[in-house]
Amino acid sequence: MTRFNAFALLKNALNGHKGWTEQWPDSQPKKEYDVIIVGAGGHGLGAAYYLAKQHGITNVAVIDKGWLGGGNTGRNTTIIRSNYLYDESARLFDHAVDLWENLSQELNYNVMYSRRGVLMLAHNVHDVQSFTRHIHANRLNGVDNRWLTPQECKDYCPPLNISANARYPVMGGALQERAGTARHDAVAWGYARGAAERGVDIIQNCAVTAIRRNADGSVAGVETAKGFIKAKKVAVSAAGHTSTVMQTADVRLPLESYPLQALVSEPVKPIFPCVVMSNAVHAYISQSDKGELVIGSGTDQYTSYSQRGGLPLIEHTVAAITEVFPIFNRMRMLRKWGGIVDVTPDRSAIISKTPVQGLYVNCGWGTGGFKATPGAAHTFAWTVAKDEPHPINAPFTMERFRTGRLIDEAAAAAVAH
Amino acid sequence: MSYRIPGRGRIDRAQPIRFTFDGHDVEGFRGDTVASALLAQGNHLMGRSFKYHRPRGPVAAGSEEPNALIGTRRGKGQFEPNTRATMQELRKGLETTSQNKYPSLKFDVGAVNDAAYMLFSAGFYYKTFMWPRNFWHKVYEPFIRAAAGLGVSPTEEDPDVYASRNMHCDVLIVGAGPSGLAAARQAAGKGLKVVLVDEHSEAGGTLLSEPQAKIDGVAAWDWLSSTLAELEAAGVKVMTRTTAIGYYHENFIGMVERLTDHLDEVPQDTPRERMWRVRAKQVVLAQGALEKPLVFHGNDRPGVMLAGSAQTFLNRFGVLVGKRPVVLTSHDSAWYAAFDLAGAGAQVQAIVDTRAEVRADLLDQAKALNIPVKLSHTATATSGRLRVSSLRVNKVSGSTVSAGSEIKCDAVLMSGGWTPSLHLFSHTKGKLAWDDDLTTFLPSDTPEDCVIAGAGRGLWGIEAALADGAAQAQAALDALGQAGDAASYAVDEDRPGTGVMHKELPTDKQPGRAKAFVDYQNDVTAKDLRLAVKEGMRSIEHVKRYTTNGMATDQGKMSNINGLNIAADALGKKQPQVGLTTFRPPYTPTTFGAFAGYHRGSHFEVTRKTQIDAWAEENGAVYEPVGQWRRARYFPKSGEDMDAAVKRECAATRSSVGIFDASTLGKIEVVGPDAAEFVNRMYTNPFLKLAPGKCRYGLLCGDDGFIRDDGVIGRISDDRFHVTTTTGGAARVLNMMEDYLQTEWPDLDVWLTSVTEQWSTIALNGPNAAKLLQPLVPDLVLTEENFPHMSCAEVDVAGIPARLWRVSFTGEIGFEVNVPAPLGRQLWETLWEAGQQYDICAYGTETMHVLRAEKGYIIVGQDTDGTVTPFDAGMGWAVGKKKADFVGMRGMARPDLVAKGRRQLVGLLTEDGSKLEEGAQIVLDPNQPIPMKMVGFVTSSYDQGTVGQPIALALVEGGQDRMGETVYIPMPDRTIAAKIVSTIFVDPENNRLKIGAAA
Ligand SMILES: Cc1cc2nc3c(=O)[nH]c(=O)nc-3n(C[C@H](O)[C@H](O)[C@H](O)COP(=O)(O)OP(=O)(O)OC[C@H]3O[C@@H](n4cnc5c(N)ncnc54)[C@H](O)[C@@H]3O)c2cc1C
């Protein structure tokens, strides 16, 4: 595999790009693997990479029903931050951010991790209370996050409207400077290339139709569109379709799948320096390196596997954006799309062993798992390799819904009085 | 020099219009677009490309245009970037600017990128800019960002307004070309609501570019005007400048109508655009086909454009795009462009066709017009700096490309054939089928009630389009139970044609170095696509994302099929095995304002106001937003800040009487024979035995056993409960109740009605509350014996029929008076008057918060956060121990919810008497290093109350067992020590609740 560097680029520019090689081969399934990973999103590909790189397990296949990175990994708005409330989450996401900061070099693939800062706006007293709570908790957890006054918010993000006459005036914001965005496709491709280089088979256009179990209940392998493939261990990372895949192994998961939509504007010159999130008015926005405003919408009100999503939600999202950033009213929407996200009752993920021996699951990332990609993949690989969780993902069990030991990040955005 | 041809086009020469382009005055006519007006001056150069900053002119004449994007401006705040010059109609005073250039359009330093063309190939960014590590954020990324982006963002607030409307119709026809018009005729006059829309400024589609055709013996343009008149007479709604942007579930179509961008003056209060949300029983998609460019080195030079578009510029706008054009084609249709232009006086230099054989009548006509013809030829280069000046063509025999020869020209009109416009069809998740004969994708199945007509199904020519429009519309009508025969049409001088499909055109040069553009705007070349495939991008989606082919603002209208053909060739597969990328809404880029519609500024979301809100405003209230409501937060007297006002309000309420607008509380009327059973199952408290005339505090948990909401519930009669919820929780609670009622307990005979807006609710609290109220309630004796705490009654208050509750959220004697909403203010003023002798004080939410905290009453969402059980909140008393079942019963029995060491609600008093910050975290050992072990946090904290020192509520691990212990609150600048105490700071014995007890 050709290493990427300035010299290779120059050389190839001169020789008509003859020297570049495949970033990953078009693998066909072998009869048997040590580990099969279902789902070639960032999480699945990343897990394969770390299995090979850190645990020396290279007889691995990543199987996807479509093209790699075509799920939520290639559909998300790429907001990365770690200023979560609970210790467990802060640790997991901060671990991810640590890995993000070196990921381009680690993978020899520019994933364009852009530390441009994520600013979360407060629009009511409840927001202020909640953000203050986050900021204090983050400080004592060693996670950066600080309070900005409305004027400081405006200085940080000039297009922001901080008028006191706004429908929901900005009362301040919580800023995490270490947070930012990354290029989603590059994350999938970089991990795929890194994994393939170490011998992992990436098998695309091959749906896993069932997980097969041995007589003793342990995992036997997977049924796929290309036939049965034996495996010692199966690790599922199938986002919105995880619950249906796991059901075939008789593992019921507390997941609901919803369409989540996003959109981009036509590209313009740099106007928006950071990422802004506003939970109260439901607006999430940044500007891509290409110049498009990247805007996150909400989940539809009903569960569904259709990646279409409806118009009303988009109308509301755009209204929210122009409410907070009125100068964008004459910008135009270029494209909108949806992805299917898997939501747990406490809005935290599951990275866990399962009651089935040899079966592991990494899911429940809902609307916010891109940011966790390296951290989740890394700890998931550990869990699969050692058949026990890494200390960082140990709290993210399936069991917690039975015991009630939740990590309720949804609680942070709880009911208003 | 003018390129305007007398007698041609549909522009109104009596109405010249001046506008500016990059500050220069330009004159065009009513009916022109910016592109046609500039082309009429011989000006093709209108923009610069995204990556290489190459000079570009229009390649198309419609909404698919990728190159000629300009900034457009009307006045202050009325600027928008990336407007397609081919769609923007002229209006007086229109200011336009070119984009993505510095310092000028003709000389752009960004064009150095073009010299480094071989470097900036597909995937370039992923392979470099990684060293040194911290350079990405500070150096590389800002550089890349500044180079990318096309136009500049608006920077001022938009003064225009936008509208939206809903519409239901029987048949919606998208596209008013010949097939759309025939479809509309077919559907008209049958008593159906028929709507015909087109994105252009006038209906007609292809007919506007083909005036030569005769339909049933009538010249095309005459047929068009009589047909439109006929449709109008038949009640068909014809909407121009209206784009169907997206096709959603269940035949729901979003359409945007542009109302003012073409007007010289905007009439007062006219919206700029209107979003139509259409629910159509049947949809006819008659969007026609898009012409494909040919892919060859230099195919992007200004002056190189689609042949069909050149024809449009001539016939619709009277503009000759070149006086010495060359036609380069693989399809018959471009021959007609040559003939039309020759007929208008152009010296067509040659018709270069890649095919070896061409229809004899075309050859004859070329000969008659003295146009040289070169068959079996390819094009391998163009030259010219800011405008094409020659085309290099080479003979091809088999796979041999002979030496080239130059043809001097001032325009190249190309055609790679046509591809059906299937974007909206794709939004329906409709399937596409590859047609080998036509070498294109055609629509196949769709889950929606939708048919496709005309060129959208690969049918070329006006006669075929008309016939198919009628036939497909009839199919839709059949589905509506309107059987009939499809009308037939005869067309003379029709121009059907065929062609062949190409990937890149063959060349004698090194193809790996060719600048043969596929996606013009994003500067994606055939070389990039092949490199992507070489690097292992096998899915068309990967190719698209790796190269950005099809991701420009034309959304691949120009580039998708050519990109597919090249990628398929590189992969050694057939096109259907590779497949197309998904088309996404909107069909063309759509103004944000049109989506937001009326929901802007103060109308972004309704501001819910109570009936008493106006009184509060007149009395100087300061508000806070709570959900969609605005609530009076406090009522400052002159010179008071919030603290001072709240202090005063608290003291006044505890010492005499305070009045509070509680109307925003959610209210749900629960009625029916099983009402008691229902309420009993929903809430943790027992309700079966609650007698009519009594009320009870209710706690609502989720099935997980955590507190979701609370409120007082009054039993009005055996089968009727008046349930109150938190202000923010009203809708959520009703949803939850409906969910349980409909899915878990459909056997219960109960109705739920939201009555939040039906009642105004006024709370009176304080030792003098009963005294104040009694004279106004002659029918009820307000004594401890007769109307004790937690009673309710239907009784007149100040002559108004009311539901009167004896409840307290302050720890004082309290009443809540519910009256029909419109009478709220009347009652408020009556109470206000009556209260003057007691120095009645109006208080807001802040005082309410303080007073309740002093009594240890929780606010759901502040003192609880979705992880708190009733027991954690110290409210185990509210959980009915003997109840058979209630929501959350099993959830709260889970091991972790009954384990020791849970966070429990306690009171805190700081040792130094300072006020704690809400949200501050609590630790046991203040000297530990970071990360610290946090055992809880401050939920509520106030120092305006009546306790004499600041108080706080907090959730602390094992808190109820730590009474009297000291905990620490590490702040950035110091650590505060606080003692854990009871949550009740005032009157633990509840003496003050009693009427007649000493205050
Ligand atoms: C619109 C949108 C915006 C978002 N914004 C953000 C954001 O700003 N920040 C953030 O952190 N997160 C965001 N997210 C969430 C984030 O995208 C996901 O949590 C994350 O990408 C999940 O990665 P993954 O690898 O687990 O899943 P995916 O990338 O979805 O990968 C799962 C893969 O499994 C495959 N698969 C499914 N079923 C099968 C089967 N039976 N057999 C074989 N393969 C199968 C799928 O094809 C898919 O490729 C957003 C999500 C969406 C949809």
Side-chain angles (χ1 to χ4, degrees):
Chain A
M1 210 158 284
T2 332
R3 271 196 80 71
F4 294 158
N5 54 44
F7 174 72
L9 253 173
L10 208 59
K11 194 174 93 184
N12 277 288
L14 296 174
N15 73 13
H17 295 283
K18 293 210 173 73
W20 302 119
T21 51
E22 283 188 326
Q23 298 188 8
W24 53 84
D26 190 14
S27 302
Q28 291 310 310
K30 294 193 283 195
K31 282 209 172 61
E32 179 175 0
Y33 290 94
D34 290 340
V35 179
I36 286 177
I37 296 172
V38 184
H43 286 239
L45 292 164
Y49 172 83
Y50 292 113
L51 274 178
K53 168 111 193 274
Q54 302 207 321
H55 304 281
I57 303 175
T58 56
N59 185 24
V60 175
V62 188
I63 306 182
D64 202 287
K65 64 177 173 152
W67 35 285
L68 69 85
N72 295 341
T73 298
R75 295 165 187 271
N76 78 95
T77 50
T78 79
I79 298 174
I80 294 170
R81 62 183 181 90
S82 64
N83 50 354
Y84 281 74
L85 182 61
Y86 288 104
D87 304 353
E88 298 90 337
S89 323
R91 228 144 271 158
L92 176 60
F93 287 106
D94 225 33
H95 177 55
V97 173
D98 288 344
L99 293 173
W100 276 118
E101 289 192 323
N102 274 311
L103 199 58
S104 295
Q105 289 72 26
E106 160 90 27
L107 296 177
N108 180 235
Y109 210 104
N110 192 349
V111 301
M112 305 182 198
Y113 178 59
S114 170
R115 256 177 87 246
R116 57 180 72 176
V118 173
L119 175 61
M120 301 171 76
L121 299 176
H123 296 273
N124 54 46
V125 175
H126 183 263
D127 282 352
V128 175
Q129 287 165 343
S130 159
F131 289 1
T132 330
R133 181 179 170 198
H134 277 72
I135 287 169
H136 285 301
N138 289 153
R139 176 169 49 84
L140 299 186
N141 262 327
V143 173
D144 93 277
N145 195 13
R146 67 191 170 88
W147 179 255
L148 299 189
T149 63
Q151 186 57 49
E152 287 168 335
C153 290
K154 173 96 182 155
D155 294 343
Y156 198 77
C157 181
L160 184 63
N161 175 23
I162 54 167
S163 159
N165 300 324
R167 173 66 185 87
Y168 294 110
V170 173
M171 296 174 79
L175 171 67
Q176 184 178 32
E177 274 166 304
R178 196 158 92 105
T181 58
R183 174 87 186 104
H184 52 20
D185 291 328
V187 175
W189 300 339
Y191 274 127
R193 174 169 167 267
E197 192 177 9
R198 288 167 177 80
V200 171
D201 282 353
I202 299 166
I203 300 159
Q204 303 181 67
N205 301 310
C206 176
V208 169
T209 49
I211 296 168
R212 207 200 278 175
R213 294 167 65 176
N214 294 312
D216 68 356
S218 63
V219 114
V222 294
E223 301 285 356
T224 77
K226 298 183 180 174
F228 176 71
I229 312 174
K230 214 170 148 194
K232 296 196 182 76
K233 294 178 176 181
V234 172
V236 178
S237 218
H241 299 276
T242 302
S243 53
T244 52
V245 173
M246 293 295 286
Q247 196 112 46
T248 65
D250 288 332
V251 179
R252 275 189 76 201
L253 288 168
L255 295 176
E256 288 182 326
S257 293
Y258 293 91
L260 175 68
Q261 299 187 76
L263 61 104
V264 292
S265 73
E266 294 183 317
V268 285
K269 295 290 176 195
I271 178 86
F272 204 85
C274 55
V275 181
V276 171
M277 308 175 62
S278 168
N279 289 332
V281 303
H282 302 292
Y284 312 89
I285 175 171
S286 64
Q287 187 177 17
S288 74
D289 287 346
K290 243 188 117 205
E292 298 156 338
L293 299 175
V294 181
I295 293 167
S297 183
T299 46
D300 277 359
Q301 299 283 315
Y302 46 85
T303 55
S304 159
Y305 290 104
S306 143
Q307 287 179 333
R308 281 164 83 185
L311 180 63
L313 210 62
I314 291 296
E315 291 181 319
H316 181 74
T317 298
V318 174
I321 290 295
T322 56
E323 156 73 5
V324 185
F325 307 99
I327 63 166
F328 293 146
N329 208 50
R330 291 174 97 91
M331 290 285 291
R332 298 191 194 94
M333 180 192 299
L334 173 53
R335 190 167 62 234
K336 77 166 191 73
W337 64 90
I340 305 302
V341 297
D342 45 334
V343 178
T344 62
D346 66 358
R347 300 294 188 275
S348 286
I350 300 170
I351 312 178
S352 177
K353 295 173 64 172
T354 70
V356 176
Q357 180 63 40
L359 180 62
Y360 308 84
V361 69
N362 168 22
C363 65
W365 290 100
T367 60
F370 177 70
K371 59 180 71 67
T373 303
H378 176 247
T379 54
F380 191 40
W382 173 294
T383 307
V384 174
K386 300 193 188 283
D387 195 34
E388 69 180 31
H390 185 282
I392 291 179
N393 69 304
F396 293 85
T397 59
M398 283 173 60
E399 281 310 297
R400 71 177 189 274
F401 299 100
R402 196 183 314 278
T403 64
R405 185 156 201 83
L406 304 183
I407 306 163
D408 204 334
E409 291 293 339
V415 283
H417 51 91
Chain B
M1 189 162 50
S2 177
Y3 289 77
R4 194 77 74 170
I5 306 300
R8 300 285 186 127
R10 298 173 66 84
I11 49 168
D12 181 355
R13 280 163 220 258
Q15 288 198 64
I17 294 180
R18 275 186 174 286
F19 70 106
T20 64
F21 178 62
D22 281 342
H24 301 290
D25 277 350
V26 187
E27 192 173 274
F29 298 103
R30 181 77 63 208
D32 259 328
T33 63
V34 171
S36 67
L38 288 172
L39 289 172
Q41 312 290 318
N43 184 353
H44 277 253
L45 177 63
M46 295 184 200
R48 291 270 174 176
S49 66
F50 197 87
K51 191 156 70 163
Y52 302 125
H53 289 244
R54 285 171 66 91
R56 293 283 169 78
V59 282
S63 68
E64 71 275 33
E65 171 58 30
N67 280 340
L69 305 190
I70 53 172
T72 39
R73 187 173 183 278
R74 183 189 286 276
K76 187 170 163 44
Q78 295 168 306
F79 167 82
E80 54 279 330
N82 302 339
T83 305
R84 282 146 297 164
T86 50
M87 291 301 281
Q88 175 64 51
E89 295 169 58
L90 286 199
R91 63 171 188 245
K92 287 196 176 126
L94 170 68
E95 297 167 41
T96 67
T97 40
S98 60
Q99 305 187 142
N100 206 29
K101 40 93 214 270
Y102 177 84
S104 76
L105 186 56
K106 289 193 174 150
F107 179 77
D108 174 15
V109 294
V112 295
N113 286 1
D114 196 26
Y117 166 69
M118 287 307 285
L119 196 61
F120 289 112
S121 57
F124 170 77
Y125 301 108
Y126 305 119
K127 296 171 182 161
T128 184
F129 295 133
M130 287 180 268
W131 314 268
R133 194 171 70 109
N134 55 4
F135 265 43
W136 172 252
H137 186 56
K138 296 220 168 63
V139 182
Y140 300 137
E141 190 179 37
F143 171 78
I144 291 170
R145 293 187 70 173
L150 284 166
V152 295
S153 163
T155 53
E156 297 167 323
E157 223 173 290
D158 180 0
D160 282 327
V161 295
Y162 298 79
S164 58
R165 231 190 246 179
N166 298 331
M167 175 159 70
H168 291 259
C169 64
D170 296 299
V171 184
L172 171 68
I173 301 156
V174 180
S179 53
L181 289 163
R185 289 191 72 207
Q186 190 73 24
K190 298 192 160 61
L192 299 175
K193 178 151 184 190
V194 179
V195 180
L196 173 65
V197 301
D198 197 287
E199 59 176 342
H200 281 272
S201 57
E202 53 176 335
T206 308
L207 298 182
L208 301 175
S209 308
E210 299 212 7
Q212 86 292 338
K214 296 207 171 37
I215 301 169
D216 293 336
V218 182
W221 289 0
D222 294 335
W223 184 87
L224 175 60
S225 44
S226 62
T227 297
L228 288 171
E230 172 196 324
L231 292 176
E232 195 184 340
V236 173
K237 185 175 174 75
V238 180
M239 302 170 71
T240 53
R241 302 188 180 92
T242 303
T243 308
I245 58 162
Y247 200 136
Y248 301 89
H249 292 279
E250 310 282 340
N251 266 21
F252 181 80
I253 290 91
M255 313 199 307
V256 172
E257 183 180 14
R258 293 173 301 280
L259 296 160
T260 63
D261 275 1
H262 61 291
L263 299 178
D264 296 342
E265 304 285 343
V266 179
Q268 185 97 42
D269 296 328
T270 306
R272 179 169 172 241
E273 298 182 5
R274 175 180 291 130
M275 173 75 75
W276 289 89
R277 307 188 199 96
V278 185
R279 189 74 73 173
K281 287 196 185 131
Q282 292 286 327
V283 173
V284 180
L285 295 176
Q287 294 179 275
L290 296 165
E291 197 168 15
K292 283 177 292 187
L294 288 165
V295 181
F296 60 101
H297 181 64
N299 63 346
D300 66 324
R301 232 174 270 284
V304 182
M305 67 160 60
L306 294 168
S309 299
Q311 221 172 325
T312 297
F313 282 118
L314 175 63
N315 291 321
R316 189 170 161 203
F317 301 101
V319 174
L320 208 48
V321 299
K323 296 197 168 162
R324 291 172 296 111
V326 185
V327 171
L328 173 67
T329 185
S330 65
H331 195 276
D332 298 339
S333 63
W335 289 69
Y336 295 109
F339 304 154
D340 279 5
L341 266 71
Q347 304 283 317
V348 178
Q349 303 296 298
I351 297 176
V352 181
D353 201 309
T354 63
R355 298 170 295 174
E357 282 176 40
V358 172
R359 253 167 42 205
D361 62 308
L362 296 176
L363 292 170
D364 292 347
Q365 199 168 344
K367 195 161 180 198
L369 291 165
N370 274 329
I371 304 175
V373 169
K374 289 178 185 290
L375 299 184
S376 296
H377 269 67
T378 181
T380 51
T382 59
S383 44
R385 197 171 84 82
L386 299 173
R387 171 83 181 264
V388 66
S389 60
S390 74
L391 177 72
R392 183 169 179 270
V393 300
N394 313 49
K395 176 121 183 108
V396 183
S397 32
S399 55
T400 320
V401 179
S402 316
S405 60
E406 305 251 327
I407 305 175
K408 295 260 177 266
C409 62
D410 62 355
V412 175
L413 315 185
M414 62 183 164
S415 179
W418 299 77
T419 183
S421 179
L422 294 172
H423 302 70
L424 285 180
F425 176 77
S426 294
H427 297 175
T428 69
K429 295 248 151 176
K431 294 208 171 43
L432 303 180
W434 179 257
D435 186 294
D436 253 333
D437 292 339
L438 292 170
T439 59
T440 191
F441 281 106
L442 295 180
S444 113
D445 300 335
T446 165
E448 301 286 353
D449 288 325
C450 142
V451 294
I452 309 208
R457 292 208 302 132
L459 301 167
W460 308 145
I462 292 173
E463 187 170 285
L466 289 165
D468 198 47
Q472 296 302 324
Q474 187 51 52
L477 293 170
D478 289 347
L480 292 175
Q482 296 264 6
D485 296 324
S488 64
Y489 296 89
V491 178
D492 291 330
E493 300 217 32
D494 199 3
R495 294 168 163 184
T498 58
V500 299
M501 185 268 302
H502 286 281
K503 39 193 201 317
E504 309 94 315
L505 290 183
T507 178
D508 58 340
K509 299 207 169 151
Q510 252 187 303
R513 293 183 177 276
K515 295 178 186 175
F517 289 89
V518 180
D519 186 319
Y520 285 95
Q521 189 184 104
N522 276 355
D523 279 332
V524 181
T525 61
K527 173 207 71 164
D528 292 321
L529 295 166
R530 290 185 183 275
L531 177 58
V533 170
K534 181 167 160 54
E535 288 196 72
M537 304 294 171
R538 282 178 203 84
S539 155
I540 195 69
E541 290 282 356
H542 284 154
V543 173
K544 163 180 163 183
R545 286 154 181 259
Y546 199 62
T547 61
T548 73
N549 191 61
M551 297 177 82
T553 62
D554 66 320
Q555 269 221 54
K557 293 191 184 72
M558 286 277 122
S559 56
N560 266 359
I561 298 291
N562 281 334
L564 169 64
N565 290 341
I566 293 165
D569 182 62
L571 285 162
K573 289 185 179 169
K574 298 217 6 163
Q575 287 85 341
Q577 292 171 281
V578 178
L580 274 182
T581 55
T582 319
F583 296 109
R584 311 256 179 221
Y587 176 69
T588 52
T590 304
T591 311
F592 279 6
F595 289 94
Y598 298 114
H599 297 275
R600 265 174 86 197
S602 56
H603 297 292
F604 164 58
E605 278 181 1
V606 290
T607 303
R608 295 170 79 183
K609 296 177 184 173
T610 71
Q611 299 289 328
I612 294 144
D613 180 273
W615 186 93
E617 187 163 332
E618 288 156 26
N619 286 273
V622 174
Y623 291 94
E624 67 163 327
V626 181
Q628 290 177 332
W629 293 97
R630 68 167 195 174
R631 300 192 74 182
R633 193 173 184 191
Y634 57 98
F635 291 85
K637 300 220 151 125
S638 74
E640 278 183 342
D641 62 5
M642 181 167 92
D643 275 359
V646 172
K647 250 193 166 84
R648 175 179 48 72
E649 292 171 14
C650 286
T653 305
R654 289 241 186 271
S655 65
S656 179
V657 64
I659 184 166
F660 176 70
D661 179 7
S663 306
T664 63
L665 287 183
K667 301 168 207 74
I668 300 167
E669 192 94 342
V670 179
V671 185
D674 296 323
E677 177 64 24
F678 178 75
V679 174
N680 196 53
R681 287 192 201 173
M682 289 303 303
Y683 284 81
T684 62
N685 322 57
F687 277 93
L688 290 178
K689 296 209 185 106
L690 185 71
K694 294 287 171 200
C695 41
R696 178 164 290 164
Y697 173 80
L699 253 189
L700 182 71
C701 288
D703 54 7
D704 51 14
F706 297 122
I707 296 174
R708 285 287 187 282
D709 203 79
D710 69 348
V712 175
I713 298 169
R715 188 162 194 176
I716 305 300
S717 61
D718 273 344
D719 63 353
R720 183 175 294 267
F721 287 78
H722 178 130
V723 175
T724 63
T725 75
T726 59
T727 296
R732 240 186 336 259
V733 172
L734 183 64
N735 269 340
M736 180 174 163
M737 286 184 171
E738 281 291 0
D739 192 5
Y740 272 93
L741 186 58
Q742 292 177 31
T743 65
E744 303 287 332
W745 311 317
D747 52 309
L748 292 189
D749 206 355
V750 177
W751 293 268
L752 305 172
T753 311
S754 166
V755 292
T756 305
E757 263 92 355
Q758 268 54 53
W759 298 102
S760 283
T761 307
I762 299 170
L764 279 179
N765 279 272
N768 288 323
K771 272 185 244 164
L772 189 166
L773 196 58
Q774 182 66 81
L776 302 171
V777 194
D779 301 337
L780 187 66
V781 183
L782 302 179
T783 58
E784 204 52 43
E785 299 70 39
N786 195 49
F787 198 61
H789 188 56
M790 301 312 271
S791 300
C792 62
E794 289 185 294
V795 64
D796 281 3
V797 177
I800 304 170
R803 285 184 182 171
L804 177 65
W805 309 53
R806 172 107 188 266
V807 290
S808 171
F809 199 41
T810 58
E812 303 298 326
I813 297 164
F815 296 91
E816 279 180 17
V817 195
N818 296 284
V819 292
L823 302 176
R825 179 158 181 176
Q826 182 189 324
L827 176 67
W828 178 280
E829 288 183 357
T830 307
L831 294 170
W832 183 252
E833 277 309 309
Q836 288 312 310
Q837 55 173 315
Y838 303 106
D839 287 331
I840 189 170
C841 174
Y843 65 90
T845 52
E846 199 63 27
T847 290
M848 178 265 281
H849 288 174
V850 179
L851 296 177
R852 64 86 207 179
E854 291 182 336
K855 281 292 288 181
Y857 297 151
I858 63 162
I859 286 187
V860 174
Q862 179 169 347
D863 302 298
T864 70
D865 64 0
T867 67
V868 178
T869 68
F871 299 95
D872 298 341
M875 300 170 77
W877 53 265
V879 181
K881 309 286 175 307
K882 296 190 207 123
K883 288 178 68 167
D885 198 4
F886 60 86
V887 175
M889 190 175 83
R890 274 161 292 276
M892 66 180 75
R894 288 179 293 172
D896 198 65
L897 276 71
V898 295
K900 279 227 160 307
R902 288 190 60 78
R903 289 186 171 186
Q904 294 169 324
L905 195 69
V906 294
L908 285 183
L909 292 173
T910 55
E911 288 186 354
D912 64 358
S914 62
K915 184 191 165 202
L916 292 168
E917 200 175 298
E918 286 169 352
Q921 298 289 321
I922 298 167
V923 303
L924 297 179
D925 170 10
N927 298 316
Q928 56 185 315
I930 280 173
M932 289 195 182
K933 163 76 182 135
M934 291 168 256
V935 297
F937 71 103
V938 178
T939 62
S940 295
S941 174
Y942 308 99
D943 67 354
Q944 311 99 324
T946 58
V947 179
Q949 66 163 303
I951 59 158
L953 298 176
L955 284 163
V956 177
E957 276 179 22
Q960 280 153 17
D961 296 330
R962 290 188 200 273
M963 286 298 147
E965 287 180 26
T966 300
V967 291
Y968 299 90
I969 296 97
M971 300 300 286
D973 51 345
R974 68 193 177 118
T975 295
I976 304 172
K979 197 159 77 166
I980 296 188
V981 297
S982 154
T983 54
I984 306 172
F985 298 91
V986 165
D987 186 27
E989 299 79 22
N990 288 334
N991 284 329
R992 300 179 64 93
L993 285 175
K994 298 197 182 99
I995 296 176

